[in-house]
Amino acid sequence: MLDQVQKTDKASAAVAHPLLELRSVTISFGGFIAVNNVSLVLEQKPVYGIIGPNGAGKTTLFNVLSGFIRARKGELLFRGETISHLSSEQVARRGIVRSFQITSIFPHMTVTDNVVLSLERRKHGGTRTFVRANWSDDHSAEAHDLLDQVGIPPSLRSEPANDLPYGRKRALELAISLAARPQVLLLDEPTAGMTVPDVNRTTELISRLSKDRTIIVVEHNLGVIANVADEIVVLQQGSVLTRGAYDDVRKDVRVIEAYLGKRQ
Amino acid sequence: MAGAAAPAEQISVSYRPGIKPMAYYITLLFNGLVTGGFLAMMSLGMSIIFGMMRVVNFMHGSMFMLGAVVVFVFGSYFGLSLWFGFFVAAILVGLLGVILERTLIKRLYGLDLAYILILTFGLSLIVEDIVRMFFGVTSAPFLVPDMLKGAVNLGFAFYPKYRLFVVVVSVVLCAGTWFALERTRLGALIRAASERPNLLKCFGGNVPLLISGTFFFASALAGLAGALAAPIRNVSPFMGEEMINFVFAVVVAGGMGSIAGSVVMGFGSGLVSAIAAIFYAPAATAVIYILMLVVLVVRPGGIFRGIDISHFALHYTPISERARRLFMSPPAALVALAAGLVLPWLVYPVLATDILLWGLFAVGFDLLFAFGGLLSFGQAAYWGTSAYVTGILMVWVGVPMPLAVIGGVFASTLAGTLFGFIVARKKGIYFSMITFAFASVVYFIVNEFADYTGGEDGLHGVIRTPLFGIDLRNDHVFYYACLIAVGLTIALVLRLLKSPYGMALLGARENERRMMSIGYNVYGLRVKAYALSCFICSIAGALYALNHQFVTLETVAWRASGDPIMMTLLGGAGTIFGPFLGGGIVLLMRNTLSSITDSGSLFIGLLFVAIVMLFRRGILGEIVHHWIDRRSATGLGPNHDTSQPEKAPMKVAGIGGIADA
Ligand SMILES: Nc1ncnc2c1ncn2[C@@H]1O[C@H](COP(=O)(O)OP(=O)(O)OP(=O)(O)O)[C@@H](O)[C@H]1O
Ligand SMILES: [Mg+2]
């Protein structure tokens, strides 16, 4: 019954409710408060940038949004429905997919298989057992398309993912997430450690991808943020310091202080 | 757990006729405290070592046994006092711990935790077999010093002084250890080190000393516990086996690595066991495992918050993707089939069938191990259950052979699947220890219902009958029937491994978090893998019962869970056919050796140690590594070699990953 109510709710939710909403979410690790009573409403905008000094709680916030850490205090809503109780895989299936700050790929599988794994999960649930031997060929066109998009050349695609150079691993990380075709894509420092051409390609890719979905990107590279983000949220010590357009945020004294320390 | 009787204290109560029943019960509870004292001391040491080094020391049980043996030898041969014996036992066993750590365990730091578990498992086999050569089962009540002879009046009952002494000593030691860890500078250092083992490196020159000291202390505690137990328990080479079973259960239920958890659960288990014994004496041991299972269902992390090792999943990467593909290809299957066809003409057919079935059993284990990333230390539970159910159905119910086999496989797989729902929530070392404890419960049940299972004598009369006009009584014919069954099962396994499910299982082993982030239900994948593994082990077990036409207690004993691990590692984990090769080698060597010596375990233990220390990929794995991986790797740079298990754990599950989890 409850299900029924929620479903009818859903139809209207698309217009009435914000995309994502955090209601006084607090996360603490044994006394240390990493996310402090954060309330945040995110609309169906193309790209949000989240910035803040190291340890501000950006990754922890992503962990909450993606269900990797349950928010015991506070509530999390996706299109008006609570998702606080969902496990990470359930959140992912609803369309909120994250990438990881520390590259997280399947190291011993081939590059293509890394993406195939994600495609198979989205299209068929990922637990099919009795299928024809060359089932993965079904995915190869799409897999190669995704790898093209993130710029991994065909010559590297049948190598174990572990053998990719660092920047390519970051690209693969992105491709795995993209293969899940998310409605909301959470990118945790996607360009960290990349060379300049890779950064440029990724920036372009983010802009392009944001046409069909909302992307929330954590970045230390403010150049990237300036380029892609429509709105910026600044975190400091677990709280939202301010939010707004890049140019406004950049001039905000509090933000400058947060990054550079207080001027005496 | 050979001959695991109820802990001796529970039965030998100092009960004097005429005393009120109430006093009798209180006496029993005190006996529970004695058992609890031993468990607490043992679990404490296990927890400290685990907390500091993330080492699960299977030798801990053997150290208990060695402590008792040392006291016995010094007491009865040299006539030394028990006081001196305590001292010597603690020092000697403590030193043994330090030596083991310095020479062997140390070399495995940074590798997967499973290696150390397997190494110490092998070492305990060696130690016990060596002791068994010189030592039988004895008891040594005469060791009790005069001062502690007799009983004291506790007001409500007379209670043996010595037992009271044991309770006091264990309480004092546990409290002292707790105080030292919580309230002293050294303790702070050790606790800091156990929070973040990598920080140990920052402590500079003191690191080896700190580690050695910890090993010494924990081992000495085990030795002392054994020494304390010597006068009131049977001193035997097997007393360690029984102990390590309990200690695993206690440590897991208490919260792995939690000092308070070990002590509280140690004494708690002793008391619960004593209370259970009041109602039903044989339940004294089983109740400890049941307590553990209940705790795990209700509070999966253990009663106290232990150390979070959830990021220490098994990242055993035996062979490269390329090599795996090779083994899963049709040519490999053809070679294996050819070998299978000629085997019964090379060795006598019953042995050939044994190789086939142990090999299949090992494949069931390897499915979890190499493909699921889960090291089960208790697959004998299913191999044995299936064998017994098949046998019981035939002998006691008169079910026709083929139906009995189906019934055995079904019942055993069902049990495995149900347990799978509990255990699949666990990873890494937890998984190993819980499967081990569950297998102990199965052993207990089989041993307890001796009316049906035959207990120590085994279940006889599981006679093969003709099937579809084929005379399966002929050993050659039966071999080929088994070959067909095994072949079909392997075909099924290959099919599954090549399917999307198989890839997902590998993915979950490689990187669980990533799998969850793209929507995979990793828990569900693991439950299925566990059920599948149980199914395979059950098929092998049912046929094994038919091969020998009787079932022995050995099939559910913990050594039977160790054998497939051995066979898999020897042949090559993840190579599909390696377990058969490993099984063949182990059985042939055991067969040859049995005519010379009866030290089968010694030899198996040595093999374990050799494999873990020298060639971790196993025979097929090493061959492929050298011939294929190396050759194709030339020119692709040093990090092309993906099959280095040495690097996998830190890279994939490194400490650095925690903050990002
Ligand atoms: N699992 C954890 N246990 C304990 N503390 C944690 C854990 N995860 C994060 N923290 C702490 O919470 C704080 C916020 O961490 P978080 O990773 O969210 O920061 P961040 O903003 O992503 O920083 P960075 O820019 O360095 O990635 C840090 O002080 C970190 O040490
Ligand atoms: Mg971060």
Side-chain angles (χ1 to χ4, degrees), chain A residues 42-222:
Chain A
L42 301 179
E43 302 292 344
Q44 184 95 41
K45 271 196 189 164
V47 181
Y48 281 97
I50 296 186
I51 62 171
N54 290 106
K58 305 181 294 293
T59 299
T60 309
L61 190 68
F62 268 19
N63 283 335
V64 176
L65 287 173
S66 57
F68 276 83
I69 296 180
R70 296 262 168 99
R72 290 215 187 78
K73 282 192 209 136
E75 202 182 1
L76 200 65
L77 297 120
F78 178 49
R79 297 191 199 285
E81 276 180 60
T82 179
I83 54 167
S84 322
H85 60 286
L86 296 185
S87 64
S88 49
E89 69 258 23
Q90 287 168 324
V91 172
R93 288 179 196 187
R94 297 253 176 134
I96 305 176
V97 177
R98 56 97 53 98
S99 74
F100 292 86
Q101 180 174 356
I102 296 171
T103 309
S104 187
I105 54 178
F106 303 101
H108 300 96
M109 290 188 180
T110 66
V111 171
T112 311
D113 280 355
N114 267 261
V115 178
V116 165
L117 200 51
S118 187
L119 289 170
E120 170 67 24
R121 157 61 221 132
R122 167 165 60 82
K123 291 181 175 169
H124 304 287
T127 52
R128 292 188 300 163
T129 40
F130 291 95
V131 290
R132 60 195 179 80
N134 47 354
W135 58 273
S136 65
D137 292 353
D138 294 349
H139 301 306
S140 68
E142 198 171 349
H144 287 296
D145 180 49
L146 283 165
L147 290 169
D148 285 340
Q149 284 190 42
V150 300
I152 296 179
S155 60
L156 293 176
R157 291 179 193 172
S158 46
E159 297 300 322
N162 219 10
D163 293 356
L164 292 178
Y166 182 77
R168 303 280 191 214
K169 279 186 187 156
R170 296 300 297 165
L172 179 59
E173 169 90 39
L174 191 54
I176 295 171
S177 299
L178 280 181
R181 205 179 278 172
Q183 299 173 37
V184 180
L185 179 59
L186 311 174
L187 300 178
D188 201 346
E189 304 196 15
T191 68
M194 280 189 178
T195 57
V196 176
D198 284 341
V199 171
N200 291 339
R201 186 183 28 240
T202 309
T203 312
E204 268 166 41
L205 182 62
I206 292 174
S207 299
R208 186 148 37 86
L209 292 170
S210 64
K211 297 207 168 71
D212 313 318
R213 59 181 60 80
T214 298
I215 297 180
I216 306 176
V217 50
V218 165
E219 257 302 340
H220 281 300
N221 183 340
L222 293 184

Side-chain angles (χ1 to χ4, degrees), chain B residues 184-420:
Chain B
T184 66
R185 224 190 82 78
L186 180 69
L189 199 66
I190 290 174
R191 274 183 299 131
S194 65
E195 292 280 311
R196 283 276 189 280
N198 277 12
L199 281 188
L200 265 179
K201 289 179 190 139
C202 308
F203 294 138
N206 281 335
V207 180
L209 192 65
L210 203 58
I211 295 180
S212 293
T214 307
F215 254 93
F216 179 83
F217 178 72
S219 307
L221 212 53
L224 185 59
L228 281 167
I232 50 175
R233 289 200 169 186
N234 283 340
V235 178
S236 90
F238 306 110
M239 63 195 291
E241 292 181 13
E242 191 187 17
M243 186 44 94
I244 193 78
N245 274 275
F246 293 149
V247 170
F248 272 8
V250 167
V251 170
V252 169
M256 190 96 183
S258 156
I259 303 299
S262 308
V263 174
V264 171
M265 269 310 283
F267 280 105
S269 299
L271 282 177
V272 169
S273 163
I275 292 166
I278 293 175
F279 297 103
Y280 178 53
T285 47
V287 79
I288 294 180
Y289 304 118
I290 293 165
L291 183 68
M292 179 201 76
L293 291 177
V294 170
V295 167
L296 287 180
V297 172
V298 179
R299 229 185 121 88
I303 289 191
F304 288 77
R305 211 173 71 94
I307 290 164
D308 181 19
I309 49 160
S310 53
H311 51 289
F312 281 103
L314 182 63
H315 291 289
Y316 182 80
T317 41
I319 55 172
S320 67
E321 183 72 17
R322 229 181 234 103
R324 192 194 329 280
R325 294 235 163 105
L326 176 83
F327 287 118
M328 287 165 68
S329 67
L334 283 179
V335 172
L337 184 64
L341 287 172
V342 298
L343 187 63
W345 309 99
L346 302 176
V347 298
Y348 64 92
V350 175
L351 179 60
T353 311
D354 263 359
I355 292 174
L356 212 53
L357 298 177
W358 277 102
L360 186 64
F361 178 21
V363 168
F365 160 81
D366 195 27
L367 186 78
L368 281 178
F369 182 61
F371 297 91
L374 299 165
L375 171 64
S376 170
F377 247 98
Q379 286 314 88
Y382 309 109
W383 153 267
T385 300
S386 172
Y388 270 108
V389 174
T390 302
I392 288 170
L393 284 177
M394 285 171 70
V395 174
W396 294 104
V397 191
V399 173
M401 185 184 80
L403 288 181
V405 169
I406 292 171
V409 172
F410 177 78
S412 165
T413 308
L414 184 69
T417 309
L418 292 179
F419 184 60

